Amino acid sequence: MSVSRPFLFVSVFLLCAADFLQSGMVAFAATPIMGEIGAGPEEFSLVASIYACVAVVAIAEQQRLVERFGWRPYLACTTTVYVLGALVCASSSDVVEFGAGRIIMALGGGAFMTSARILVTMDRPGPGRFTGVRFFASGLAGGTAAAPWLASVAVINDAWPMMFYTLIGIAVAGTLAAIACVPAGRPTHEPTSNLAPARLLLLAASAFFLLYLLQRSYYDFYSDTLVLLSFSAIAAFGIYTYVRIEHAHPAPLLRVREVKSPRYLAGIALFAMSYLLLGANNYTIPNFLQRGLGYSWEVTGQLESMGLLACLVTWIVMSALIPRSPALGKYLSLGLACLWAFGWFMSRLSPEADFYSHVLPPLLFNGCFIMLGLATAAVHTFAGLTHDDRLFAHGYQIKAIVAQLAMALGTSLATLILQWRSTVQYDHIGAYVDRGARTFLAGSDAIADVYAAYGMGERAHGTAMSTVADDLARQATLVAGTEYFFAISLVAILAMVIMLARRILFRSPSASSDP
């Protein structure tokens, strides 16, 4: 088919960037948004779970809807729904309105990334398609890097709704560019799947309960461990049952049976690991910088964005090297080395760490790892599917669903680990405080004298005790964070050992796919 390549590449870049921008900005600005809409952490977690669940369903339905109605109506309708949801979020004053807006956004834009990648297959077959892949990955890297900075700018200027207005502009521009280049009308081939409400309900219910239980684990894991683990296992079994049904169905929503191969499954496992670490690190890094090292919200956003710019730089270098040197082992090895360096150097930080020479370098290593991991996984995973664009689309839908679940799992694991280690470290620090009670009380009295001098009167002593307690909590968070990052460095070493032992990713790679 003949399409306008400039419009195609612009649409691919913008739609992918919109997806990563929205997830990054909402995650980074979660605390300020909660304050604006009067939501607690539990309510905000519920909204996040429902969004991910609806996004999973939107991804599963994407190819079926395109086959029924064509690309232009599909993109026009989904973007209209997405814009409506973003407007509801921007104008919301309570958690119910915000939650409704996020659900509508997921319904319309949950499959933006999947759509962007499949649009690349509309370019003429051959090595030239890799140009579209470059734009797609650049949108991923650019959206990931810009999200913390844009979110911090919007909140600092007391204009958090501007995040959603920005998303509207990017999504509309990307869709208009796509409509200008995609063919009119429905695809010429016959649809391969039918509406399956029972299967969709099973997928939606299983995904929701798994994601919600993962979110709830932050609050109830230690009090209701057995209950949470049991229901999580049931939800995971529901997703497994859905996959088995799709595998055996003559007209599946997702062509699981045809994409299944050792190479594809190994690639999906690598994707899952990369997205799991991405979700865990995206939660831990801002918490560590703010609550552990004491950086302001604005500085944290700038630091994260500068570190994530390494995603874009890494992809620029990789996109030039992969067509000439596609062997995957060296890219994955370098990615794991960057992950190790990130974890090791972050675990050595202290409150005296310098902004540029100590904190920024490991964040740059993290950005390098993200792109090296995702790009290597993509080149490996989809190498056997590029001969059939429709089969590739189904394979990518499955990958996108795995990404949603893996990121949610990573975030939940990170919250559990930090909660556990912060509590342990707080108890240890508290024991030292008890043994040195005189020094502790003397310090508290000195702070109280300062507060009293500023006219706080009877409140001075209580405020001083609260200040000391906050400092103890900060120290506990700092130590817990360094323990987490040290564990990440061990994970990188373990992954390197497994990779060298199995050498799965060293076989006949192809440079025709993307993150």
Side-chain angles (χ1 to χ4, degrees):
M1 70 183 69
S2 177
V3 297
S4 172
R5 299 185 82 207
F7 280 115
L8 179 67
F9 297 154
V10 168
S11 68
V12 166
F13 176 86
L14 291 177
L15 289 176
C16 185
D19 187 71
F20 280 85
L21 267 176
Q22 71 83 21
S23 60
M25 288 196 298
V26 172
F28 189 85
T31 300
I33 291 175
M34 282 190 284
E36 293 290 341
I37 63 176
E42 297 183 53
E43 296 169 312
F44 203 81
S45 295
L46 176 61
V47 172
S49 299
I50 297 175
Y51 177 91
C53 167
V54 176
V56 165
V57 174
I59 293 167
E61 277 281 276
Q62 190 262 356
Q63 190 65 9
R64 189 188 74 83
L65 293 174
V66 169
E67 290 178 344
R68 289 298 186 284
F69 304 108
W71 274 105
R72 289 186 182 180
Y74 171 79
L75 289 172
C77 290
T78 54
T79 302
T80 300
V81 172
Y82 181 83
V83 168
L84 176 61
L87 289 172
V88 172
C89 287
S91 60
S92 59
S93 57
D94 57 52
V95 67
V96 175
E97 294 177 0
F98 183 80
R102 290 294 286 162
I103 292 171
I104 298 171
M105 286 182 70
L107 191 64
F112 271 174
M113 183 180 70
T114 308
S115 296
R117 179 55 189 95
I118 296 173
L119 284 173
V120 174
T121 62
M122 293 190 176
D123 196 8
R124 55 181 178 270
R129 263 189 195 179
F130 196 61
T131 303
V133 170
R134 286 190 173 102
F135 277 87
F136 176 85
S138 297
L140 184 158
T144 300
W149 176 73
L150 288 176
S152 65
V153 169
V155 174
I156 289 167
N157 289 282
D158 197 25
W160 69 272
M162 286 304 300
M163 291 189 293
F164 296 97
Y165 296 136
T166 301
L167 291 172
I168 289 173
I170 294 173
V172 170
T175 298
L176 291 176
I179 290 175
C181 68
V182 298
R186 293 170 47 187
T188 56
H189 57 259
E190 287 298 318
T192 57
S193 60
N194 299 313
L195 179 64
R199 280 181 281 159
L200 277 178
L201 180 61
L202 174 62
L203 175 63
S206 300
F208 170 74
F209 281 111
L210 179 62
L211 293 170
Y212 179 63
L213 289 167
L214 290 173
Q215 296 285 345
R216 285 296 312 171
S217 63
Y218 177 76
Y219 309 100
D220 300 330
F221 185 79
Y222 297 102
S223 59
D224 299 312
T225 304
L226 183 60
V227 173
L228 284 172
L229 291 177
S230 299
F231 279 98
S232 295
I234 293 172
F237 181 75
I239 294 177
Y240 170 78
T241 302
Y242 170 80
V243 172
R244 295 298 303 173
I245 292 173
E246 291 290 288
H247 185 275
H249 203 280
L253 283 173
L254 303 172
R255 293 160 65 178
V256 177
R257 182 173 61 253
E258 296 177 62
V259 302
K260 184 181 68 173
S261 69
R263 173 181 289 277
Y264 182 81
L265 294 177
I268 289 296
L270 181 55
F271 264 125
M273 184 194 80
S274 298
Y275 276 106
L276 185 146
L277 290 171
L278 179 61
N281 291 339
N282 282 352
Y283 173 83
T284 305
I285 291 171
N287 275 275
F288 181 74
L289 295 180
Q290 288 180 277
R291 299 170 58 189
L293 295 180
Y295 288 138
S296 68
W297 208 83
E298 180 180 11
V299 170
T300 299
Q302 293 173 352
L303 265 176
E304 276 212 79
S305 285
M306 285 189 288
L308 290 171
L309 276 175
C311 288
L312 186 57
V313 176
T314 301
W315 172 244
I316 292 173
V317 176
M318 286 187 72
S319 64
L321 293 177
I322 288 177
R324 293 178 293 172
S325 179
L328 301 180
K330 57 180 176 291
Y331 301 112
L332 183 56
S333 297
L334 182 58
L336 292 175
C338 289
L339 180 64
W340 173 85
F342 160 70
W344 175 256
F345 288 114
M346 288 291 286
S347 71
R348 314 298 293 177
L349 293 179
S350 69
E352 292 75 30
D354 180 70
F355 184 97
Y356 290 107
S357 59
H358 296 118
V359 181
L360 184 58
L363 295 181
L364 292 171
F365 280 121
N366 179 54
C368 293
F369 159 73
I370 291 171
M371 188 51 65
L372 285 163
L374 293 180
T376 303
V379 172
H380 176 81
T381 305
F382 303 112
L385 304 180
T386 53
H387 64 282
D388 185 338
D389 290 344
R390 296 168 71 189
L391 188 62
F392 175 89
H394 283 263
Y396 205 87
Q397 285 175 278
I398 296 170
K399 171 261 173 185
I401 291 173
V402 170
Q404 288 279 353
L405 298 175
M407 284 193 69
L409 177 60
T411 302
S412 296
L413 288 176
T415 57
L416 282 174
I417 292 171
L418 289 183
Q419 181 190 38
W420 165 44
R421 296 312 303 169
S422 295
T423 302
V424 171
Q425 294 302 331
Y426 194 87
D427 290 341
H428 287 169
I429 296 172
Y432 282 108
V433 169
D434 289 340
R435 288 198 290 269
R438 289 184 179 179
T439 304
F440 170 74
L441 292 175
S444 177
D445 289 342
I447 296 173
D449 291 341
V450 174
Y451 286 147
Y454 282 91
M456 296 192 68
E458 296 179 356
R459 293 179 297 149
H461 186 71
T463 305
M465 292 291 291
S466 177
T467 300
V468 174
D470 288 342
D471 187 60
L472 295 181
R474 183 187 64 80
Q475 294 180 43
T477 301
L478 176 66
V479 177
T482 58
E483 290 180 336
Y484 166 86
F485 292 120
F486 181 73
I488 290 295
S489 69
L490 296 181
V491 168
I493 293 173
L494 178 61
M496 180 71 78
V497 171
I498 294 174
M499 185 201 72
L500 293 176
R502 302 276 302 184
R503 301 185 69 85
I504 294 176
L505 302 179
F506 287 78
R507 305 171 190 166
S508 59
S510 168
S512 56
S513 201
D514 64 285

